[in-house]
Structure formats: C-alpha cells, structure tokens
C-alpha cells in the first residue's frame, strides 16, 4: 500500500503544481500537500486494501473531481499545505485510482485510463491465478505494458504531457517507507 500511496501522492502534488493559476505552488507546499494526502489516504484505505483482490473497493479508494466538485481528501490536503484550491485551474473531471499493484487516472468523463505505475509482475500473477477473479476490463488486456500502450493512444496524455515535464522523482515521498 505504501508504494501505491506514495506514487499517487507524488503524482497529485506535481499535478497541482502544474495547475496553479497565478500564484505558483512552492516545493514546500507541494511537499506538505503530499504528506497530508498520504496520511489521509492511509487512514481511509485501512481495511479496504486486498492484494489478492486489487479491484475490490476500487471506487472507495478513488480520488475524484466530478463536474468540478473536488474530493474532500484533496481539498483538506490543500488546506493543510496552505494551498488555496480556488487558485488552481483543475479539470472538471478527474479520477485517480489507487489500487493494490497499480495507480491509474482519467481526465475527462470518457477519456481512456492512463497508468501512472503498476506492478506488472504481481498483476500478471493474479491474472493467471484461478482463485482470483479479475474484472472483465482487466482480463485480456494488451500484452504491451499499459504505461506504453495508454501513453501512445490518442486523447490520453501521459503524466509528462500533463505536467509539461517529467514528474517522477521531483517530489520525493518521505512520509512512508516500504
């Protein structure tokens, strides 16, 4: 769970930095946001995390902006970091799924899902385990890693395209350890 939450919080921190309107979000604010959202995600996801059934509880763990309404976890974390959510130019629809073995997002109501991170070996093992039932959208997925497949599909921007630069590693996850 720690790897997934660290990955999701890093993505969100850099995403918010890229969405500042006039007043830029400082590195310190991004770090405080990341720390705050990690704590909140850890607390929320306790009891809702099963590595053998990674998509069970998927909707519960989703962080959403739907029709412009921002998830309270994101709003509370912004406030804890001294970021005014009204200073952000956020999309009207964004969903970030943090699941066992993967972190994915979608911007827009009908846009394709893009992979931020996945533990492909673990997911492949689950896919071939007859005791594990995966959702229909997962079965028969492309043999090409989703990060490659989805980043190349039209209308599905990569994290680099969204943020305008490489996001991975710019905000170091410090709150959690494996």
């Amino acid at each position: 769970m720690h790897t997934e939450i660290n990955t999701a919080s890093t993505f969100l921190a850099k995403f918010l930095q890229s969405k500042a309107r006039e007043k830029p979000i400082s590195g310190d604010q991004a770090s405080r946001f990341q720390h705050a959202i990690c704590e909140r995600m850890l607390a929320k996801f306790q009891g809702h995390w099963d590595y053998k059934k990674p998509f069970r509880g998927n909707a519960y763990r989703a962080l959403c902006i739907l029709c412009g309404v921002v998830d309270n976890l994101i709003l509370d974390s912004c406030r804890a970091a001294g970021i005014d959510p009204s200073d952000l130019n956020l999309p009207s629809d964004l969903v970030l799924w943090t699941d066992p073995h993967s972190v994915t997002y979608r911007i827009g109501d009908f846009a394709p899902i893009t992979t931020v991170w996945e533990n492909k070996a673990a997911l492949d093992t689950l896919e071939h385990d007859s005791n594990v039932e995966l959702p229909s959208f997962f079965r028969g997925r492309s043999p090409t890693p989703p990060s490659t497949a989805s980043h190349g599909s039209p209308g599905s921007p990569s994290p680099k395209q969204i943020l305008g630069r490489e996001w991975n590693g710019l905000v170091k996850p410090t709150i959690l350890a494996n």
Side-chain angles (χ1 to χ4, degrees):
M1 177 169 23
H2 293 166
T3 299
E4 292 88 341
I5 289 176
N6 276 325
T7 301
S9 68
T10 300
F11 176 78
L12 275 175
K14 293 318 263 172
F15 184 78
L16 290 183
Q17 277 188 305
S18 75
K19 297 301 177 186
R21 289 179 198 222
E22 294 176 21
K23 182 181 174 190
I25 295 172
S26 70
D28 182 55
Q29 286 176 306
S31 184
R32 288 191 319 231
F33 171 82
Q34 186 175 354
H35 180 82
I37 197 110
C38 276
E39 287 180 339
R40 286 162 175 76
M41 289 170 79
L42 263 177
K44 181 177 179 177
F45 296 174
Q46 291 299 322
H48 298 274
W49 196 268
D50 186 349
Y51 280 106
K52 293 191 182 217
K53 297 177 184 168
F55 299 104
R56 184 175 190 174
N58 176 276
Y60 180 79
R61 292 185 304 270
L63 298 181
C64 303
I65 301 172
L66 298 174
C67 298
V69 178
V70 181
D71 192 293
N72 283 331
L73 239 61
I74 297 171
L75 290 175
D76 293 345
S77 299
C78 281
R79 290 184 190 110
I83 299 168
D84 183 352
S86 66
D87 289 340
L88 301 172
N89 186 24
L90 297 172
S92 61
D93 291 296
L94 167 88
V95 181
L96 177 71
W97 292 277
T98 306
D99 298 318
H101 312 299
S102 72
V103 178
T104 55
Y105 71 95
R106 182 186 69 212
I107 296 177
D109 202 16
F110 300 104
I113 295 171
T114 302
T115 300
V116 176
W117 173 86
E118 76 175 357
N119 180 345
K120 187 160 174 37
L123 291 172
D124 286 346
T125 300
L126 288 172
E127 191 172 19
H128 298 296
D129 185 343
S130 61
N131 295 322
V132 176
E133 185 174 329
L134 295 173
S136 60
F137 68 82
F138 187 83
R139 290 189 296 272
R141 64 194 170 117
S142 166
T144 307
S147 59
T148 305
S150 59
H151 290 178
S153 55
S156 175
S158 70
K160 184 175 181 178
Q161 290 169 322
I162 288 172
L163 304 176
R165 61 194 174 283
E166 192 63 44
W167 70 273
N168 193 12
L170 292 179
V171 174
K172 294 181 181 170
T174 55
I175 178 90
L176 303 172
N178 286 332

